[in-house]
Amino acid sequence: MKEYLKMERLINEQKVFLNPSANIEMVMEKAGYSRRTSTKLIHRYASSNTRLDYLNQKRVVYAAQLLLTEPTASTKDVGMRSGFYDDSTFRRNFKKYYGVTPAAYRAVHGAGGMETSR
């Protein structure tokens, strides 16, 4: 568990996942973990099935924060700034983790800014 927490801290501090061209190897390398070790830690301690799933979950959590702290930003902009290549991939992953679209999440949580993507 100690190794996983160290990996989490490094990944969250470095925010490599915000780069859309970052792959999981790049993220784990920046955190100082081999493919084998990172896979083992993610399977054991994270609520993700794969390393890509883990990376996308980091992006979605970051996006959820942006949706609430920047209510006038479009969901498309939030997705791009969170490390997703395109809006449809962002919305699909967001719904996978939160059960609602980014716009619905923002509306439910009271940020109610101007929604300009669709």
Side-chain angles (χ1 to χ4, degrees), residues 3-67:
E3 282 291 301
Y4 175 74
L5 293 175
K6 179 183 173 191
M7 181 180 77
E8 274 284 291
R9 184 179 52 78
L10 288 169
I11 289 169
N12 289 331
E13 285 174 0
Q14 295 176 8
K15 293 187 179 14
V16 180
F17 56 87
L18 296 180
N19 177 352
S21 63
N23 60 33
I24 195 67
E25 277 73 28
M26 182 187 300
V27 173
M28 294 306 163
E29 182 181 308
K30 282 274 193 183
Y33 290 89
S34 70
R35 178 184 185 117
R36 183 173 186 254
T37 300
S38 62
T39 300
K40 185 174 105 177
L41 292 171
I42 288 167
H43 282 307
R44 181 174 289 159
Y45 299 110
S47 60
S48 304
N49 294 325
T50 65
R51 293 177 322 137
L52 178 60
D53 202 33
Y54 175 79
L55 183 62
N56 283 334
Q57 187 174 17
K58 292 284 180 196
R59 290 173 171 152
V60 166
V61 168
Y62 185 82
Q65 294 170 353
L66 287 180
L67 287 168

